[in-house]
Amino acid sequence: MQPRPRDTIRINDLLLIVPLLTGSVWPKPPGQAVLQPVLISLSIPHNISSTATTDDLSHTINYSFLCSLLRDSLNEKIPPLGTLENLSTRIFDLLLSRSSSDAPSLTEARLRVVQPRAPLNCKAIGVESRATTSSGSRWSTGYVKHFCEDLECSTIIGVNACEREERQIVRVNISIERWDSGLQRESWVDFRFMTRELHAKIQKTSYQTLEALTSYIAETALRHLSTDRTEQIQSPPLVTVRAAKPSAIVFASSSEIEICRTYSDYPESFIQGMEPGQNPTSDMATHTVALALGSNLGDRFYNIELALRLLETPEAFLGTKDATIAVVDTSFMYESAPMYVTDQPSFINCACMIETNLPPVALLKVLKLVETTVGRVPSIRNGPRAVDLDIILYDDAVIDTRGNPRKELDDLDGELVIPHPRLIEREFVLRPLNDMVPDFMHPLLHQSVSTLLAVLDIPADTTPMHKVIPFPQRPLPTDYTFPHSVAVVPPTLTHWTFPSSPRPTQKIAGPRTSKTRVMATLNATPDSFSDGATHNTLPTALEYAQNAVVAGASILDVGGYSTRPGAVFVSTQEEISRVGPCIAAIRTANAQLPISIDTFRPEVARAAILAGANCINDVYSFTGQESYPFPRTGSAAGGCMSDMKSIALEFAVPVILMHSRGDAGTNKDYEMYRYAGAGQEVLEGVRIELGAKVDFIVKGRGGVRRWFVIVDPGVGFSKTLEGNLEVLRDASAITADCHVGSGRDRCRNALAGYPQLIGASRKSFLGVILEQGGGRKTEPQERGWATAAAVACAVQQGAAVVRVHDTREMVDVVQVASALWERDVTDAT
Ligand SMILES: *[C@@H]1O[C@H](CO)[C@@H](O)[C@H](O)[C@H]1NC(C)=O
Ligand SMILES: *[C@@H]1O[C@H](CO)[C@@H](O)[C@H](O)[C@H]1NC(C)=O
Ligand SMILES: *[C@@H]1O[C@H](CO)[C@@H](O)[C@H](O)[C@H]1NC(C)=O
Ligand SMILES: *[C@@H]1O[C@H](CO)[C@@H](O)[C@H](O)[C@H]1NC(C)=O
């Protein structure tokens, strides 16, 4: 075989007018051809060496001859051609067929056929192909590329709010390349249809990034190309999308993205996807819906918990087994003064995400029935109510059932307007929504929830919204009746209030400030390093608890199994027998005091709650001792996790989730987070590792309500001295609304906005500091003053709770530190 010539002879953009059946700007009835201009470019590999040396034209390909061959054979008088593909076939026949006597003897040709301004909305479409022939056989194509240039669309695109206010032009080039199916019928591309569809679809999008838009265009084009599963697997076309946003950058003519995609890049949509032709949104599909919940009558926390539990049993209301509703995420809980009517009790507001197969109107019916069951008293509009449920978002649907003339927004009785029309003016709806889906785009305003919240105009005289954590009453009163078929909802004992975090985009000077509460620690462990086991008898325990309350502690933490490195193993039974009687005795003496059980064992947590505890404090965040590194996916997180989760959910108790890496003394290397910057890697490690666990506990079916979660960075656990100081010094960064991770894993801080507990009391790293530089060795009990310094720092960092041993002294420290640093967030600007 001859080597392939390195030289090429070209004819560029030969203009011909040919009768074509398709592609005209104004379509004709089928079968009627229209004369249309096409530009033909040829490129032919040919060794010009002999012509070059002899300077004799007879040795080369006479391009003047080629042009007249094409012009004579393809003109107005030829029978109409179906498509550009038919035209390409005809040209290859002319050039490469041996049968025709006047054909030049070529073995290879590349051809580009362009039809300018063919479909509306784009500059040109065309087909590029390469055909070869070997002696005796008919020519065949080895490569075909269909393309369309400068499809012009206007759409909402951009990250900045100002960019999203109006549409801007996006220009798109699309090409579709195939290697072995040639110019056959199956691989034709109907650009008129495809560009029309793409144009309409792109207009409706509202992506933030060109990246997302190009990916969407590539997927839509692939979807358009084939419904044939064998083709998807055997000879998939490659789609290249190049999109430019000419108005993006003031000093450059445009910004552009180019991507190449094929079916396997969209595994969800193709290959393993639906059978061709099947409607992907059949009636039983799952929808994601955001609901707002509010209550301002009676036991408001009880009402909301009951509403959520009833909501998950829609079959009880609809009489059908097919209806499903699952709560998959919750917001923080907020207390706020009512917005429109001011002389009534303050509102509790929160929001949740549910997954349901119910259509909007059926869902609305369930919500109304839940409201009635919980005991909504229909009274003055916006007046007191036991519970109020509203559909805020339903997928990204836009729904208005009001018909014409439209009902007033204030009197929607039975009608649905989605997204909720008052969403953008109500902080008590936007803020909880922002806790769960800050990046969700409002389908009509094309702005994200976090942007809408940031630009919300909150009048200066509005009562600020506070975050609240409710504590249930435990044990249940003996005469307690609960007339519903769902798991018993406990009445509320008390609730804690914290300032709500500042607006997401608002930067305030210094750390967030809040009223810090004191957690007194009671070790029911004979080997406890912290108090020398002096409380291991009921009378001393009772006395300790009483003193702590008098001193000003807000909660008592009872533990029966030390987590200190090298602590003696304690069996579950032993742990229960240490904490159970102790908690029961303290509960009997003090009905009002929140008591947390410090354990990582589900059995112990359950027994302690039944004995009277109403909070779980778990140093392993429900993943058990052996859980480092935490598996992000799958059931590998173990039974411990799901048991603790269901106990927390069932008993509706707050949970304190701590960062640790298994054994307290080990796993101190945070090198992998070095990218976060020097002095930030431990902080970053805590945010990412604890964030993954908290997400696992809060999100998805059977998740713990977000408003019950307090996070603890785990000072003194799996961290070096420097690491402990780093976390303590900058603790407010643990729960900041910032981004974490790097590269593809970069995402919002999962711990953003959670109240934080800091427990540095008597820890050994304080002892190490005291000992450094020739200082003295200290026993834990001797580290009170050292603890005071750490507690002052925790208050300055805005900790919601500090866990201490020397309650009376530390209450004093907290009071003075609070006076020093506690400012209202609004004063800090
Ligand atoms: C081109 O032709 C010349 C002379 O006929 C020959 O020497 C040379 O090898 C050819 N080159 C290729 C790449 O075929
Ligand atoms: C090239 O083709 C043109 C048009 O067919 C013809 O007039 C001319 O004589 C040809 N030249 C040579 C050298 O073959
Ligand atoms: C176009 O090509 C197809 C497939 O190669 C063929 O079946 C059809 O008859 C052609 N139509 C015209 C008008 O040339
Ligand atoms: C599309 O292709 C045309 C012609 O090649 C080119 O001028 C234009 O810049 C391309 N547009 C984009 C967005 O790549």
Side-chain angles (χ1 to χ4, degrees):
M1 207 182 134
Q2 274 196 339
R4 200 161 166 269
R6 286 170 301 178
D7 315 334
T8 305
I9 293 177
R10 288 209 178 86
I11 295 168
N12 293 326
D13 291 338
L14 172 68
L15 176 69
L16 295 179
I17 311 286
V18 294
L20 283 174
L21 291 173
T22 59
S24 64
V25 171
W26 308 111
K28 294 280 172 184
Q32 202 173 327
V34 183
L35 286 177
Q36 294 176 62
V38 289
L39 295 169
I40 294 176
S41 306
L42 269 179
S43 112
I44 295 162
H46 180 76
N47 188 347
I48 65 149
S49 303
S50 49
T51 316
T53 39
T54 59
D55 202 16
D56 180 354
L57 193 58
S58 65
H59 292 276
T60 187
I61 292 173
N62 183 341
Y63 41 80
S64 150
F65 166 74
L66 281 183
C67 287
S68 37
L69 174 68
L70 293 179
R71 216 177 290 122
D72 295 345
S73 325
L74 304 166
N75 56 38
E76 302 151 34
K77 293 178 201 75
I78 60 161
L81 290 161
T83 59
L84 293 183
E85 290 90 345
N86 285 102
L87 177 60
S88 308
T89 307
R90 186 73 65 91
I91 294 173
F92 283 132
D93 278 342
L94 284 169
L95 300 175
L96 301 174
S97 291
R98 298 293 150 96
S99 55
S100 106
S101 55
D102 48 354
S105 52
L106 304 180
T107 54
E108 179 178 345
R110 290 158 182 253
L111 174 67
R112 180 181 158 96
V113 182
V114 178
Q115 193 175 14
R117 284 178 295 277
L120 291 172
N121 311 319
C122 67
K123 204 175 88 189
I125 60 166
V127 182
E128 217 175 284
S129 49
R130 178 161 62 87
T132 51
T133 179
S134 49
S135 51
S137 57
R138 192 179 182 265
W139 59 268
S140 61
T141 47
Y143 170 80
V144 177
K145 171 164 125 182
H146 288 82
F147 57 88
C148 105
E149 283 175 0
D150 282 346
L151 172 65
E152 191 172 292
C153 307
S154 67
T155 184
I156 304 284
I157 185 134
V159 182
N160 304 320
C162 64
E163 280 183 289
R164 304 189 64 78
E165 279 163 11
E166 52 196 311
R167 299 175 167 277
Q168 52 180 309
I169 298 290
V170 174
R171 292 212 174 79
V172 185
N173 286 1
I174 302 166
S175 72
I176 299 141
E177 295 168 274
R178 299 174 200 259
W179 280 265
D180 47 12
S181 44
L183 287 168
Q184 292 128 30
R185 189 87 180 86
E186 310 78 64
S187 41
W188 287 7
V189 177
D190 183 349
F191 269 121
R192 163 179 289 280
F193 185 54
M194 182 193 265
T195 54
R196 192 194 299 154
E197 179 183 294
L198 275 171
H199 191 261
K201 286 192 166 169
I202 294 171
Q203 306 272 80
K204 287 199 197 119
T205 63
S206 60
Y207 289 103
Q208 306 221 49
T209 59
L210 212 47
E211 285 82 343
L213 180 63
T214 47
S215 175
Y216 170 78
I217 295 172
E219 186 183 348
T220 311
L222 281 163
R223 204 181 285 283
H224 179 93
L225 287 178
S226 176
T227 46
D228 178 357
R229 290 162 67 81
T230 43
E231 193 215 27
Q232 288 179 16
I233 295 156
Q234 285 164 4
S235 56
L238 183 70
V239 169
T240 303
V241 176
R242 207 167 128 181
K245 211 165 72 163
S247 43
I249 309 169
V250 179
F251 296 105
S253 69
S254 66
S255 58
E256 216 178 84
I257 299 279
E258 178 175 314
I259 61 166
C260 292
R261 294 288 184 274
T262 190
Y263 295 120
S264 54
D265 293 310
Y266 302 95
E268 308 267 292
S269 308
F270 302 103
I271 303 176
Q272 315 135 7
M274 309 250 171
E275 289 299 322
Q278 191 177 337
N279 182 358
T281 51
S282 79
D283 282 337
M284 294 316 279
T286 303
H287 304 278
T288 307
V289 183
L291 301 179
L293 295 93
S295 173
N296 70 340
L297 202 65
D299 186 341
R300 298 163 299 168
F301 307 101
Y302 166 93
N303 292 341
I304 284 176
E305 184 59 40
L306 176 59
L308 289 176
R309 292 188 188 192
L310 291 172
L311 198 59
E312 289 192 313
T313 59
E315 62 278 6
F317 299 105
L318 296 177
T320 156
K321 282 204 163 62
D322 297 334
T324 63
I325 297 180
V327 176
V328 293
D329 198 358
T330 42
S331 68
F332 293 110
M333 192 175 259
Y334 297 89
E335 185 169 40
S336 55
M339 200 169 188
Y340 303 100
V341 186
T342 46
D343 56 346
Q344 44 169 289
S346 62
F347 261 98
I348 293 297
N349 290 103
C350 58
C352 67
M353 304 298 297
I354 58 167
E355 281 175 3
T356 182
N357 60 1
L358 290 173
V361 175
L363 178 62
L364 182 65
K365 190 175 158 198
V366 173
L367 299 189
K368 295 295 146 201
L369 290 168
V370 169
E371 284 178 352
T372 320
T373 311
V374 177
R376 176 176 183 174
V377 189
S379 55
I380 51 162
R381 187 183 305 147
N382 297 324
R385 56 197 61 190
V387 78
D388 196 14
L389 299 172
D390 281 307
I391 304 178
I392 301 302
L393 304 167
Y394 187 96
D395 294 331
D396 54 2
V398 176
I399 300 167
D400 190 342
T401 61
R402 286 175 299 165
N404 240 337
R406 305 223 140 161
K407 278 190 171 182
E408 289 290 310
L409 284 179
D410 282 330
D411 185 20
L412 280 177
D413 197 34
E415 304 285 358
L416 259 182
V417 185
I418 298 173
H420 197 283
R422 289 284 156 82
L423 166 61
I424 54 165
E425 66 181 62
R426 290 178 173 171
E427 185 188 5
F428 63 79
V429 182
L430 266 180
R431 196 174 285 287
L433 200 57
N434 185 62
D435 296 334
M436 304 181 294
V437 286
D439 298 321
F440 181 84
M441 284 291 157
H442 190 290
L444 288 172
L445 303 172
H446 308 298
Q447 300 201 350
S448 68
V449 170
S450 62
T451 308
L452 291 171
L453 178 61
V455 301
L456 180 69
D457 194 16
I458 303 169
D461 57 353
T462 316
T463 333
M465 288 175 60
H466 292 293
K467 283 187 182 149
V468 287
I469 305 179
F471 286 83
Q473 191 172 333
R474 285 290 165 191
L476 293 175
T478 41
D479 57 348
Y480 192 62
T481 54
F482 183 73
H484 305 283
S485 57
V486 291
V488 177
V489 179
T492 308
L493 179 70
T494 183
H495 69 275
W496 287 0
T497 307
F498 304 94
S500 143
S501 47
R503 294 179 183 191
T505 55
Q506 180 188 342
K507 284 206 175 61
I508 63 159
R512 193 167 61 90
T513 57
S514 72
K515 170 122 185 63
T516 305
R517 291 170 187 273
V518 172
M519 170 188 268
T521 314
L522 177 61
N523 289 305
T525 57
D527 66 328
S528 168
F529 75 101
S530 291
D531 57 16
T534 48
H535 307 307
N536 195 24
T537 51
L538 286 185
T540 13
L542 276 171
E543 193 192 329
Y544 178 88
Q546 189 53 33
N547 289 341
V549 172
V550 170
S554 301
I555 183 170
L556 184 68
D557 190 40
V558 180
Y561 186 0
S562 170
T563 45
R564 137 180 95 92
V568 186
F569 175 83
V570 174
S571 74
T572 305
Q573 266 320 308
E574 169 70 13
E575 194 184 347
I576 292 176
S577 67
R578 286 178 183 181
V579 295
C582 185
I583 289 171
I586 297 168
R587 178 54 77 220
T588 311
N590 189 331
Q592 294 304 312
L593 180 68
I595 301 173
S596 62
I597 169 66
D598 179 359
T599 188
F600 57 88
R601 288 177 169 148
E603 303 83 352
V604 179
R606 179 179 286 274
I609 290 169
L610 292 175
N614 51 3
C615 179
I616 300 172
N617 179 14
D618 182 354
V619 296
Y620 298 121
S621 290
F622 295 4
T623 52
Q625 255 171 321
E626 316 299 335
S627 65
Y628 178 76
F630 176 61
R632 272 150 198 267
T633 50
S635 58
C640 191
M641 169 67 102
S642 55
D643 286 354
M644 275 297 219
K645 236 166 112 168
S646 48
I647 289 171
L649 187 65
E650 178 192 337
F651 292 112
V653 290
V655 296
I656 299 161
L657 303 173
M658 197 189 81
H659 174 264
S660 63
R661 293 169 152 195
D663 265 356
T666 54
N667 301 320
K668 295 182 177 180
D669 183 7
Y670 290 77
E671 187 66 32
M672 62 196 286
Y673 303 109
R674 183 50 56 86
Y675 63 83
Q680 293 286 307
E681 57 266 35
V682 183
L683 273 174
E684 177 79 351
V686 172
R687 286 193 295 226
I688 289 184
E689 294 170 9
L690 184 57
K693 291 186 182 183
V694 168
D695 263 359
F696 202 93
I697 290 166
V698 167
K699 295 183 180 173
R701 295 175 182 224
V704 169
R705 321 285 183 217
R706 188 185 298 253
W707 53 77
F708 280 135
V709 175
I710 297 172
V711 299
D712 176 348
V715 173
F717 283 80
S718 334
K719 294 166 191 77
T720 58
L721 170 61
E722 280 312 314
N724 285 318
L725 292 176
E726 181 185 323
V727 168
L728 195 51
R729 187 184 293 136
D730 216 358
S732 65
I734 301 276
T735 52
D737 186 6
C738 59
H739 279 76
V740 299
S742 66
R744 288 182 67 119
D745 294 331
R746 197 167 161 76
C747 61
R748 277 177 188 264
N749 180 13
L751 300 182
Y754 282 95
Q756 197 172 169
L757 179 146
I758 304 248
S761 184
R762 298 184 176 179
K763 294 249 161 88
S764 62
F765 80 99
L766 297 174
V768 174
I769 296 174
L770 296 178
E771 211 178 320
Q772 272 172 356
R776 70 200 156 93
K777 255 188 157 34
T778 50
E779 288 304 310
Q781 304 90 296
E782 300 172 87
R783 295 180 196 142
W785 302 104
T787 301
V791 166
C793 178
V795 171
Q796 189 260 348
Q797 285 297 304
V801 191
V802 285
R803 184 178 182 274
V804 302
H805 297 88
D806 310 290
T807 311
R808 189 170 47 76
E809 293 81 356
M810 294 313 142
V811 166
D812 289 353
V813 172
V814 166
Q815 279 205 337
V816 175
S818 299
L820 280 170
W821 284 300
E822 205 169 273
R823 288 154 300 167
D824 198 39
V825 167
T826 46
D827 296 343
T829 45

